Amino acid sequence: HTHNTKEFIQYINYIEGKIEIPHNLKKKVFRRVFMGDMNPNEIRKDILLKEYNESQYIVLEICSQKIYEENGIYLHHLAVGAGDNVSQSELFSDNCKIQSQELLNIDLQSIKAIVGNKQLLIVSHINPFGFEKRQLFIDQLESTCNDLNINFLNLSKLIKPEHVVDANHLKETGHNIVSQAVKDTLQNNYE
């Protein structure tokens, strides 16, 4: 559901009932729900909260430092960009901010506190084609996680061009590599 630290913190606050997301913004926050078979009016916070509360492990992919915000609500990046085939009037690129290293550090500290005694694993985005800006963010994320003693899985070291459909999406072989790497990391660090 989330792509950056702000969205994850918002998600937890939402399912815990600490914040509400206005109906007119739900499509821009819960994009996948609106793309699938689920009725967006049936987002069951109680089920999501139960799933979260019963989880021993939190595996969180942080793949972007771009933060999209409207009226204090953090939005899914594809719901505010042309990649989601939205009209020009729905674009919110003016509301895009790039998260600084300092704010990333603060958010990761908050996430670590939020998950408490759950086992936290931060996973990077893939970078099979060696995009410089993406790698810089992955390196910053890894450094911050190391400084905060948060387990980190750097997928840019594992996923190669032959494992992907494009720069952002995995083939089945890529999914298998990521799945095994997550299992191995959790097993090696938490058991």
Side-chain angles (χ1 to χ4, degrees), residues 48-63:
L48 297 172
L49 182 60
K50 183 177 189 288
E51 179 183 80
Y52 173 76
N53 285 336
E54 292 178 357
S55 297
Q56 178 182 356
Y57 303 104
I58 303 299
V59 179
L60 176 60
E61 179 188 22
I62 299 178
C63 58

Side-chain angles (χ1 to χ4, degrees), residues 1-14 19-22 24-31 64-80 92 95-99 103 106-107 110-111:
H1 300 302
T2 63
H3 290 84
N4 58 53
T5 57
K6 298 284 186 205
E7 289 178 55
F8 177 76
I9 293 168
Q10 173 178 269
Y11 175 80
I12 297 302
N13 286 331
Y14 175 73
I19 64 167
E20 275 303 318
I21 295 175
N24 68 313
L25 293 180
K26 284 187 178 179
K27 183 176 182 178
K28 295 174 182 162
V29 173
F30 301 107
R31 179 182 173 271
S64 183
Q65 66 190 121
K66 292 177 184 171
I67 309 294
Y68 295 92
E69 183 180 358
E70 181 180 347
N71 298 326
I73 301 295
Y74 298 104
L75 310 175
H76 188 290
H77 72 284
L78 289 178
V80 294
F92 292 94
N95 292 2
C96 178
K97 296 179 179 117
I98 303 299
Q99 186 177 37
L103 292 178
I106 291 168
D107 281 357
S110 295
I111 289 169

Side-chain angles (χ1 to χ4, degrees), residues 78-96:
L78 289 178
V80 294
D84 202 28
N85 297 320
V86 296
S87 70
Q88 267 315 87
S89 64
E90 292 180 319
L91 290 175
F92 292 94
S93 58
D94 290 342
N95 292 2
C96 178

Side-chain angles (χ1 to χ4, degrees), residues 151-170:
N151 287 308
F152 182 78
L153 177 58
N154 187 337
L155 295 183
S156 73
K157 294 179 180 177
L158 300 175
I159 299 299
K160 307 297 178 213
E162 60 269 19
H163 304 137
V164 300
V165 175
D166 58 35
N168 298 313
H169 300 95
L170 300 168

Side-chain angles (χ1 to χ4, degrees), residues 12 21 28 31 39 41-42 49 52-53 63 68 102 117 122 134 138-139 142 157 181 186:
I12 297 302
I21 295 175
K28 295 174 182 162
R31 179 182 173 271
N39 179 342
N41 296 319
E42 296 177 5
L49 182 60
Y52 173 76
N53 285 336
C63 58
Y68 295 92
E102 179 182 353
N117 61 358
I122 302 294
R134 185 178 292 186
I138 291 169
D139 293 344
E142 184 170 26
K157 294 179 180 177
L186 292 175

